Amino acid sequence: MIASMTGFARAAGTTGPVQWVWEVRAVNGRGLDVRVRVPNGFDGPGEAARAALQKGLARGQCQLSLNLTRPEATPRVRINEALLADLAAAVARVPLSPGLGPATLDGLLGIRGVIEAEEEAGTDRDVLDRDLAAAAQKLVADLDEARRAEGRQLATIVEGQLAEIQRLTEAADACPARRPEAVRARLAAAVSALMENGSLDPDRLHQEAVLLAAKADVREELDRLRAHLAAARELLAKGGAIGRRLDFLAQELGREANTLSAKANDIALSRIGLDLKAVVEQFREQVQNVE
């Protein structure tokens, strides 16, 4: 089984009054690069999540973020009854001057300290850190599964492209232009044309014809194409982090396809070579996504 380097995962939850969200996005990369963005004071959970990603992944660029939301605390009102009673008793003992009325409840409640506001209890940080750590582990597992799901689709595409490269390789091998009699006929026609246009050494012409025939032979290219195809299929069957090796094989397949096209001395073989180059390029683009 192979995995893609692209994927997305999200984990959200609530601990006490705090709502939190982990998100990670992964894209293609030559190596493994994990970048973490967390609120101030949460470097510990961020580094733990980074370590989990580095342990679970082999390649790719990952952007990991943690967002926290703390809702506005709703204060609870409490009357300091002891203080209120002391104030009422003290006011009752004070003789009233002419023009002053007795103390009222609303007046006493307006005195600083009689009415107290208490905020809701804060979040236990240890509990929050444990919840974030557990969610980070699940986040890594979800990202891995997303990458493997896309990897299964990639494998189907890549296997189809390898089958097409195989078909074109066999078509090039069976091309009538490669038959010895066809090669001899083309060379004979070329030699005859040269002999008619001037006095050339027949032995020299024969030697040149043999060299041209050797240069036009694509047997080695076809054999190497088959060898690279077998190696690519072996890697796919093995699975794991094989993206770099598949990329190398894609380059080698492209090199052989270019050489075959350059050697082609017939329209039919040239067309096969062009089709082969196009499919190999598509294969190369796809394996860039493989971990």
Side-chain angles (χ1 to χ4, degrees):
M1 181 181 295
I2 63 174
S4 168
M5 283 189 285
T6 61
F8 172 80
R10 185 177 189 271
T14 301
T15 302
V18 178
Q19 297 177 346
W20 45 263
V21 178
W22 280 113
E23 285 189 355
V24 61
R25 304 172 187 272
V27 296
N28 298 354
R30 294 183 61 84
L32 180 60
D33 181 18
V34 180
R35 301 182 182 182
V36 180
R37 181 174 59 85
V38 296
N40 291 334
F42 286 83
D43 294 338
E47 290 305 311
R50 184 204 300 273
L53 283 170
Q54 291 174 334
K55 182 179 179 181
L57 307 178
R59 291 177 66 200
Q61 293 184 1
C62 299
Q63 297 284 347
L64 174 68
S65 65
L66 171 64
N67 294 312
L68 300 176
T69 303
R70 293 183 176 88
E72 291 293 334
T74 303
R76 294 186 303 177
V77 177
R78 186 179 73 87
I79 297 176
N80 190 332
E81 296 181 3
L83 178 58
L84 179 61
D86 290 343
L87 287 172
V91 169
R93 292 193 299 268
V94 176
L96 296 178
S97 301
L100 292 179
T104 60
L105 180 60
D106 58 342
L108 293 176
L109 291 175
I111 297 175
R112 183 181 181 85
V114 175
I115 295 180
E116 299 174 341
E118 294 182 340
E119 293 187 354
E120 295 288 345
T123 302
D124 188 323
R125 181 56 190 269
D126 291 338
V127 174
L128 178 58
D129 285 349
R130 285 197 296 270
D131 289 349
L132 291 176
Q137 292 293 333
K138 183 178 185 303
L139 186 80
V140 174
D142 290 346
L143 176 63
D144 182 64
E145 177 55 34
R147 286 162 54 114
R148 291 186 180 279
E150 187 170 329
R152 289 190 287 270
Q153 297 178 357
L154 268 177
T156 301
I157 295 172
V158 168
E159 287 167 357
Q161 291 168 338
L162 290 176
E164 181 64 9
I165 294 172
Q166 179 78 52
R167 185 189 70 79
L168 290 170
T169 299
E170 300 306 325
D173 193 11
C175 183
R178 291 195 62 252
R179 294 176 182 172
E181 56 271 21
V183 175
R184 284 195 297 268
R186 286 196 302 273
L187 290 174
V191 169
S192 297
L194 290 173
M195 293 295 293
E196 291 176 358
N197 295 331
S199 56
L200 299 176
D201 184 1
D203 292 335
R204 179 66 176 174
L205 284 174
H206 177 74
Q207 293 174 1
E208 293 295 329
V210 171
L211 289 174
L212 288 173
K215 290 180 180 180
D217 187 15
V218 294
R219 169 56 55 192
E220 291 184 5
E221 286 71 25
L222 294 174
D223 290 342
R224 283 193 289 267
L225 282 168
R226 293 188 179 100
H228 297 328
L229 283 169
R233 284 170 170 154
E234 183 179 350
L235 283 175
L236 285 173
K238 180 181 178 182
I242 59 173
R244 287 183 176 177
R245 283 173 286 179
L246 283 177
D247 185 39
F248 171 76
L249 287 174
Q251 296 178 36
E252 294 301 307
L253 286 167
R255 183 176 291 109
E256 302 304 332
N258 287 333
T259 305
L260 185 147
S261 296
K263 285 186 174 183
N265 52 10
D266 179 82
I267 293 178
L269 190 56
S270 294
R271 288 176 177 171
I272 293 173
L274 290 174
D275 291 342
L276 185 60
K277 289 169 62 175
V279 179
V280 169
E281 179 60 22
Q282 293 170 1
F283 173 75
R284 188 193 67 81
E285 291 177 354
Q286 289 296 338
V287 299
Q288 296 295 314
N289 299 318
V290 178
E291 183 181 34

